[in-house]
Amino acid sequence: MGTGTQYPTRYLGDANPYRKKHVHDTANEKRSCTLHALEWARNAVPFDTLEQAYAAGYAPCLFCLPQEPGAD
């Protein structure tokens, strides 16, 4: 269901200060994730691992990482 966009890393965080900090899995992208909007608005923060994203204060996305504890 992905957009076919090639992202620099598997995990991208949303750095928009007006939204909750979510990390997305580009290998399991869903329409609800709108990852293309993150890059368009220059709000994408690349992470090599989920552990890096969690350490930076990001929560897993409910749509592309539903199996992760704390997904919302």
Side-chain angles (χ1 to χ4, degrees):
M1 168 120 10
T3 62
T5 302
Q6 296 297 315
Y7 298 106
T9 59
R10 178 166 178 181
Y11 302 103
L12 286 179
D14 183 354
N16 184 328
Y18 301 106
R19 290 195 295 255
K20 184 171 182 180
K21 292 169 66 172
H22 282 115
V23 62
H24 301 273
D25 181 353
T26 62
N28 192 32
E29 181 180 358
K30 306 292 186 229
R31 284 188 190 182
S32 301
C33 297
T34 62
L35 289 175
H36 62 283
L38 296 181
E39 286 196 326
W40 176 81
R42 301 189 193 279
N43 287 327
V45 178
F47 294 104
D48 292 323
T49 66
L50 281 176
E51 290 74 22
Q52 289 175 337
Y54 296 156
Y58 285 81
C61 170
L62 178 63
F63 302 106
C64 61
L65 292 166
Q67 73 283 0
E68 289 291 312
D72 65 354

